[in-house]
Each structure stands twice: as C-alpha cells, then as structure tokens.
C-alpha cells in the first residue's frame, strides 16, 4: 500500500487499484486442480464387453460409490481424491472380481481392463403347500 500513499489525486488511485485488480485476475482465475479419475472396461476373455455389471468403489475418503457398466462395458468414477481404492465387480452368472489397492494420484487417471469369468448359476426351487383335510365319512360330491 506504499504505492497508494504516495499517489496524489483520487483518479490516479482508482486507476492504480484497477490495474492491480486486473493484474491479480489471472492468479485468482486458475482452475482448481481436480481429483483423479478411474475409468475402465469390463470384458470377457474373448474381449467382448459386458454391460450391466455393478461396480462398487470404496475408499478411505469417499465411502462407497456404485455405478453400472454401460452397454459397451465401460465405467467411470470421476473427481476422486488421491488415495487407495477397492473395486468390486458383480453380475449374476459371473464370478465376482475384487480389485484392491488401486492407487490414485492428484489430477491423474487410472484405466482398468477388468476380466470377468462366467460361472454356473445355482438355482434352488422350493415348493411347499398345505394339504387339505379329507373327511372320509362324507359321501357327497361337491360342485
């Protein structure tokens, strides 16, 4: 503020203040550095993409986030803070895949190619019913 004290006249002070404000504008307008991103594709061993996979991401700073892979098998988690993350890939008819310790740095992105294997579906059908009581002493036929 030494400069402002030695400047005479109100107009000149306003001009200097305006010039200082304009000079500070680029410093204040730098975009904030965003967090890191995790991108990927879920595929079979033959390279075909798997849509509809539920992906759960857990980390120390973000808690739990989920997404579903697109029709082309793609998924993404954007603007995550730096740290280590665990991912879980689940879909009926496929073995669950756990990817642990994915390390993410500030402003960087990690691309994953996740291989899932098919598995046999286990189905169990239980049929239960209540048997009605039959009265053997009645001889009438009901309609």
């Amino acid at each position: 503020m030494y400069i402002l004290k030695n400047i005479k006249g109100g107009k000149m002070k306003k001009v200097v203040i305006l010039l200082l404000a304009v000079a500070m504008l680029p410093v204040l307008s730098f975009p904030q550095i965003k967090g890191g991103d995790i991108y990927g594709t879920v595929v079979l061993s033959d390279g075909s993409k798997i849509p509809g996979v539920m992906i759960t991401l857990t980390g120390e700073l973000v808690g739990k986030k989920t997404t579903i892979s697109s029709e082309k098998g793609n998924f993404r988690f954007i603007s995550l803070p730096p740290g280590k993350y665990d991912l879980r890939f689940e879909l009926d008819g496929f073995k669950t895949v756990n990817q642990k310790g994915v390390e993410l740095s500030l402003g960087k992105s990690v691309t994953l190619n996740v291989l899932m294997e098919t598995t046999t579906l286990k189905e169990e059908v239980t049929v239960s019913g209540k048997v009605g009581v039959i009265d053997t002493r009645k001889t009438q036929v009901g309609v």
Side-chain angles (χ1 to χ4, degrees):
M1 292 294 130
Y2 173 76
I3 297 170
L4 294 177
K5 287 181 183 179
N6 292 332
I7 296 175
K8 295 180 181 176
K11 274 189 171 181
M12 193 62 169
K13 279 187 181 181
K14 288 180 183 177
V15 169
V16 170
I17 290 173
L18 181 64
L19 288 174
L20 287 172
V22 170
M24 292 294 291
L25 190 60
V27 173
L28 298 175
S29 66
F30 275 125
Q32 290 182 339
I33 297 174
K34 66 175 188 143
D37 303 325
I38 297 177
Y39 297 98
T41 306
V42 186
V43 296
L44 285 170
S45 59
D46 66 359
S48 57
K49 315 295 192 248
I50 308 173
V53 177
M54 185 170 78
I55 302 115
T56 306
L57 175 130
T58 52
E60 298 169 351
L61 300 176
V62 296
K64 185 185 279 190
K65 291 186 175 196
T66 59
T67 190
I68 305 291
S69 64
S70 71
E71 60 193 31
K72 295 181 180 178
N74 298 325
F75 66 92
R76 67 181 184 163
F77 294 97
I78 57 173
S79 297
L80 299 170
K84 289 189 178 183
Y85 293 92
D86 297 335
L87 290 107
R88 182 178 181 91
F89 301 84
E90 298 174 283
L91 182 63
D92 286 341
F94 294 87
K95 292 180 183 176
T96 298
V97 174
N98 290 305
Q99 189 113 22
K100 296 189 179 267
V102 175
E103 195 160 337
L104 195 58
S105 300
L106 187 64
K108 302 287 183 183
S109 63
V110 173
T111 303
L112 302 173
N113 200 19
V114 180
L115 179 66
M116 291 188 76
E117 298 176 9
T118 58
T119 185
T120 56
L121 287 175
K122 294 180 183 177
E123 284 190 27
E124 184 176 310
V125 178
T126 304
V127 179
S128 61
K130 192 174 183 180
V131 178
V133 178
I134 299 174
D135 188 359
T136 56
R137 291 188 231 152
K138 285 190 178 179
T139 57
Q140 295 177 343
V141 177
V143 178

Short mmCIF file of all heavy atoms in Angstrom, two decimals, residues 46-80:
data_model
loop_
_atom_site.label_atom_id
_atom_site.label_comp_id
_atom_site.label_asym_id
_atom_site.label_seq_id
_atom_site.Cartn_x
_atom_site.Cartn_y
_atom_site.Cartn_z
N ASP A 46 -12.63 -63.40 -24.31
CA ASP A 46 -12.55 -63.22 -25.76
C ASP A 46 -12.57 -61.75 -26.19
O ASP A 46 -12.55 -61.43 -27.37
CB ASP A 46 -13.68 -63.99 -26.47
CG ASP A 46 -15.06 -63.44 -26.14
OD1 ASP A 46 -15.19 -62.48 -25.35
OD2 ASP A 46 -16.04 -63.98 -26.69
N GLY A 47 -12.63 -60.84 -25.20
CA GLY A 47 -12.60 -59.41 -25.50
C GLY A 47 -13.96 -58.77 -25.62
O GLY A 47 -14.06 -57.55 -25.75
N SER A 48 -15.04 -59.55 -25.58
CA SER A 48 -16.37 -58.95 -25.69
C SER A 48 -16.71 -58.21 -24.40
O SER A 48 -16.35 -58.62 -23.30
CB SER A 48 -17.43 -60.01 -26.01
OG SER A 48 -17.43 -61.02 -25.02
N LYS A 49 -17.42 -57.11 -24.55
CA LYS A 49 -17.75 -56.23 -23.44
C LYS A 49 -18.94 -56.77 -22.66
O LYS A 49 -19.82 -57.41 -23.22
CB LYS A 49 -18.07 -54.82 -23.94
CG LYS A 49 -17.11 -54.26 -24.97
CD LYS A 49 -15.73 -54.06 -24.42
CE LYS A 49 -14.87 -53.24 -25.36
NZ LYS A 49 -13.79 -53.91 -25.98
N ILE A 50 -18.98 -56.47 -21.36
CA ILE A 50 -20.07 -56.94 -20.51
C ILE A 50 -20.85 -55.75 -19.97
O ILE A 50 -20.35 -55.01 -19.13
CB ILE A 50 -19.54 -57.78 -19.32
CG1 ILE A 50 -18.61 -58.89 -19.81
CG2 ILE A 50 -20.70 -58.35 -18.52
CD1 ILE A 50 -17.94 -59.64 -18.69
N PRO A 51 -22.09 -55.55 -20.42
CA PRO A 51 -22.91 -54.47 -19.87
C PRO A 51 -23.62 -54.91 -18.60
O PRO A 51 -23.77 -56.11 -18.33
CB PRO A 51 -23.92 -54.22 -20.99
CG PRO A 51 -24.06 -55.54 -21.67
CD PRO A 51 -22.70 -56.20 -21.56
N GLY A 52 -24.06 -53.95 -17.80
CA GLY A 52 -24.88 -54.24 -16.63
C GLY A 52 -24.14 -54.73 -15.40
O GLY A 52 -24.77 -55.18 -14.45
N VAL A 53 -22.81 -54.63 -15.38
CA VAL A 53 -22.04 -55.07 -14.22
C VAL A 53 -22.14 -53.98 -13.15
O VAL A 53 -21.96 -52.80 -13.43
CB VAL A 53 -20.56 -55.31 -14.58
CG1 VAL A 53 -19.75 -55.68 -13.37
CG2 VAL A 53 -20.45 -56.38 -15.65
N MET A 54 -22.46 -54.37 -11.92
CA MET A 54 -22.49 -53.41 -10.83
C MET A 54 -21.08 -53.27 -10.26
O MET A 54 -20.50 -54.26 -9.81
CB MET A 54 -23.46 -53.82 -9.72
CG MET A 54 -23.55 -52.74 -8.65
SD MET A 54 -24.86 -52.98 -7.45
CE MET A 54 -24.14 -54.21 -6.41
N ILE A 55 -20.56 -52.05 -10.28
CA ILE A 55 -19.22 -51.78 -9.78
C ILE A 55 -19.36 -50.94 -8.52
O ILE A 55 -19.99 -49.88 -8.54
CB ILE A 55 -18.36 -51.04 -10.83
CG1 ILE A 55 -18.26 -51.87 -12.11
CG2 ILE A 55 -16.97 -50.77 -10.29
CD1 ILE A 55 -18.90 -51.24 -13.27
N THR A 56 -18.77 -51.42 -7.44
CA THR A 56 -18.79 -50.71 -6.17
C THR A 56 -17.38 -50.27 -5.84
O THR A 56 -16.46 -51.08 -5.80
CB THR A 56 -19.33 -51.62 -5.04
OG1 THR A 56 -20.60 -52.13 -5.43
CG2 THR A 56 -19.46 -50.85 -3.74
N LEU A 57 -17.20 -48.97 -5.60
CA LEU A 57 -15.92 -48.39 -5.25
C LEU A 57 -15.95 -47.98 -3.78
O LEU A 57 -16.92 -47.37 -3.33
CB LEU A 57 -15.64 -47.16 -6.12
CG LEU A 57 -14.38 -46.38 -5.79
CD1 LEU A 57 -13.58 -46.14 -7.05
CD2 LEU A 57 -14.72 -45.06 -5.15
N THR A 58 -14.93 -48.37 -3.04
CA THR A 58 -14.81 -47.93 -1.65
C THR A 58 -13.42 -47.34 -1.45
O THR A 58 -12.44 -47.82 -2.03
CB THR A 58 -15.03 -49.07 -0.64
OG1 THR A 58 -14.18 -50.16 -0.98
CG2 THR A 58 -16.46 -49.54 -0.64
N GLY A 59 -13.36 -46.30 -0.66
CA GLY A 59 -12.09 -45.64 -0.36
C GLY A 59 -12.15 -45.01 1.01
O GLY A 59 -13.22 -44.86 1.60
N GLU A 60 -10.99 -44.62 1.50
CA GLU A 60 -10.90 -44.04 2.83
C GLU A 60 -11.61 -42.69 2.91
O GLU A 60 -12.19 -42.35 3.93
CB GLU A 60 -9.44 -43.87 3.22
CG GLU A 60 -8.69 -45.18 3.30
CD GLU A 60 -7.19 -44.97 3.44
OE1 GLU A 60 -6.72 -43.82 3.30
OE2 GLU A 60 -6.50 -45.96 3.69
N LEU A 61 -11.59 -41.91 1.84
CA LEU A 61 -12.13 -40.55 1.88
C LEU A 61 -13.51 -40.41 1.26
O LEU A 61 -14.19 -39.42 1.49
CB LEU A 61 -11.17 -39.58 1.18
CG LEU A 61 -9.77 -39.49 1.78
CD1 LEU A 61 -8.88 -38.58 0.95
CD2 LEU A 61 -9.83 -38.98 3.22
N VAL A 62 -13.95 -41.37 0.46
CA VAL A 62 -15.23 -41.21 -0.25
C VAL A 62 -16.32 -42.16 0.21
O VAL A 62 -17.45 -42.03 -0.21
CB VAL A 62 -15.06 -41.36 -1.78
CG1 VAL A 62 -14.19 -40.28 -2.34
CG2 VAL A 62 -14.56 -42.73 -2.14
N GLY A 63 -16.02 -43.11 1.04
CA GLY A 63 -17.04 -44.06 1.43
C GLY A 63 -17.32 -45.03 0.30
O GLY A 63 -16.42 -45.54 -0.33
N LYS A 64 -18.61 -45.26 -0.01
CA LYS A 64 -18.99 -46.24 -1.03
C LYS A 64 -19.72 -45.54 -2.17
O LYS A 64 -20.65 -44.77 -1.94
CB LYS A 64 -19.89 -47.30 -0.40
CG LYS A 64 -20.24 -48.44 -1.32
CD LYS A 64 -21.23 -49.40 -0.68
CE LYS A 64 -20.52 -50.34 0.24
NZ LYS A 64 -21.39 -51.44 0.70
N LYS A 65 -19.29 -45.82 -3.41
CA LYS A 65 -19.97 -45.32 -4.61
C LYS A 65 -20.21 -46.51 -5.52
O LYS A 65 -19.40 -47.42 -5.59
CB LYS A 65 -19.09 -44.31 -5.35
CG LYS A 65 -18.91 -43.01 -4.64
CD LYS A 65 -18.17 -42.03 -5.52
CE LYS A 65 -18.10 -40.68 -4.85
NZ LYS A 65 -17.73 -39.62 -5.78
N THR A 66 -21.34 -46.49 -6.23
CA THR A 66 -21.64 -47.57 -7.16
C THR A 66 -22.01 -47.00 -8.53
O THR A 66 -22.49 -45.88 -8.64
CB THR A 66 -22.79 -48.46 -6.67
OG1 THR A 66 -23.95 -47.66 -6.51
CG2 THR A 66 -22.45 -49.15 -5.38
N THR A 67 -21.77 -47.80 -9.55
CA THR A 67 -22.18 -47.48 -10.90
C THR A 67 -22.43 -48.79 -11.64
O THR A 67 -22.07 -49.86 -11.15
CB THR A 67 -21.12 -46.61 -11.63
OG1 THR A 67 -21.68 -46.14 -12.85
CG2 THR A 67 -19.86 -47.40 -11.92
N ILE A 68 -23.03 -48.70 -12.80
CA ILE A 68 -23.32 -49.86 -13.64
C ILE A 68 -22.58 -49.67 -14.96
O ILE A 68 -22.61 -48.59 -15.54
CB ILE A 68 -24.84 -49.99 -13.91
CG1 ILE A 68 -25.64 -50.05 -12.60
CG2 ILE A 68 -25.14 -51.19 -14.79
CD1 ILE A 68 -25.45 -51.30 -11.79
N SER A 69 -21.94 -50.74 -15.44
CA SER A 69 -21.22 -50.63 -16.71
C SER A 69 -22.21 -50.38 -17.85
O SER A 69 -23.32 -50.90 -17.86
CB SER A 69 -20.38 -51.88 -16.97
OG SER A 69 -21.17 -53.02 -17.12
N SER A 70 -21.77 -49.59 -18.83
CA SER A 70 -22.62 -49.21 -19.95
C SER A 70 -22.80 -50.38 -20.91
O SER A 70 -22.23 -51.46 -20.73
CB SER A 70 -21.99 -48.04 -20.70
OG SER A 70 -20.84 -48.47 -21.39
N GLU A 71 -23.56 -50.14 -21.98
CA GLU A 71 -23.79 -51.20 -22.98
C GLU A 71 -22.50 -51.63 -23.66
O GLU A 71 -22.42 -52.71 -24.22
CB GLU A 71 -24.80 -50.72 -24.02
CG GLU A 71 -24.36 -49.49 -24.76
CD GLU A 71 -25.47 -48.83 -25.56
OE1 GLU A 71 -26.64 -48.92 -25.14
OE2 GLU A 71 -25.16 -48.23 -26.59
N LYS A 72 -21.46 -50.79 -23.59
CA LYS A 72 -20.16 -51.14 -24.16
C LYS A 72 -19.19 -51.62 -23.07
O LYS A 72 -18.00 -51.74 -23.31
CB LYS A 72 -19.56 -49.94 -24.89
CG LYS A 72 -20.38 -49.55 -26.10
CD LYS A 72 -19.75 -48.39 -26.83
CE LYS A 72 -20.61 -48.02 -28.03
NZ LYS A 72 -20.07 -46.87 -28.75
N GLY A 73 -19.71 -51.87 -21.86
CA GLY A 73 -18.90 -52.39 -20.77
C GLY A 73 -18.06 -51.35 -20.06
O GLY A 73 -17.23 -51.70 -19.23
N ASN A 74 -18.26 -50.07 -20.35
CA ASN A 74 -17.45 -49.01 -19.76
C ASN A 74 -18.02 -48.54 -18.42
O ASN A 74 -19.22 -48.56 -18.20
CB ASN A 74 -17.37 -47.80 -20.71
CG ASN A 74 -16.73 -48.16 -22.02
OD1 ASN A 74 -15.81 -48.97 -22.07
ND2 ASN A 74 -17.20 -47.57 -23.10
N PHE A 75 -17.11 -48.07 -17.56
CA PHE A 75 -17.50 -47.46 -16.29
C PHE A 75 -16.52 -46.35 -15.97
O PHE A 75 -15.44 -46.28 -16.54
CB PHE A 75 -17.51 -48.51 -15.15
CG PHE A 75 -16.16 -49.05 -14.81
CD1 PHE A 75 -15.39 -48.46 -13.83
CD2 PHE A 75 -15.64 -50.14 -15.49
CE1 PHE A 75 -14.13 -48.96 -13.51
CE2 PHE A 75 -14.39 -50.65 -15.17
CZ PHE A 75 -13.63 -50.06 -14.19
N ARG A 76 -16.92 -45.46 -15.04
CA ARG A 76 -16.03 -44.38 -14.62
C ARG A 76 -16.44 -43.83 -13.27
O ARG A 76 -17.62 -43.79 -12.92
CB ARG A 76 -15.99 -43.27 -15.66
CG ARG A 76 -17.29 -42.52 -15.80
CD ARG A 76 -17.20 -41.45 -16.85
NE ARG A 76 -18.45 -40.72 -16.87
CZ ARG A 76 -18.62 -39.57 -17.43
NH1 ARG A 76 -17.61 -38.98 -18.01
NH2 ARG A 76 -19.78 -38.96 -17.41
N PHE A 77 -15.44 -43.43 -12.53
CA PHE A 77 -15.60 -42.70 -11.28
C PHE A 77 -14.71 -41.47 -11.44
O PHE A 77 -13.50 -41.61 -11.62
CB PHE A 77 -15.15 -43.53 -10.08
CG PHE A 77 -16.02 -44.74 -9.83
CD1 PHE A 77 -15.64 -45.99 -10.30
CD2 PHE A 77 -17.20 -44.63 -9.12
CE1 PHE A 77 -16.43 -47.11 -10.06
CE2 PHE A 77 -17.99 -45.74 -8.89
CZ PHE A 77 -17.60 -46.98 -9.36
N ILE A 78 -15.29 -40.27 -11.38
CA ILE A 78 -14.51 -39.07 -11.66
C ILE A 78 -14.37 -38.19 -10.43
O ILE A 78 -15.16 -38.27 -9.49
CB ILE A 78 -15.12 -38.27 -12.83
CG1 ILE A 78 -16.58 -37.90 -12.56
CG2 ILE A 78 -15.02 -39.05 -14.13
CD1 ILE A 78 -17.18 -36.98 -13.60
N SER A 79 -13.32 -37.36 -10.46
CA SER A 79 -13.02 -36.37 -9.42
C SER A 79 -12.90 -37.00 -8.03
O SER A 79 -13.51 -36.54 -7.07
CB SER A 79 -14.06 -35.25 -9.42
OG SER A 79 -14.04 -34.55 -10.62
N LEU A 80 -12.12 -38.04 -7.94
CA LEU A 80 -11.89 -38.70 -6.66
C LEU A 80 -10.64 -38.11 -6.00
O LEU A 80 -9.67 -37.79 -6.67
CB LEU A 80 -11.67 -40.20 -6.87
CG LEU A 80 -12.83 -40.97 -7.50
CD1 LEU A 80 -12.38 -42.37 -7.89
CD2 LEU A 80 -14.00 -41.03 -6.56
#
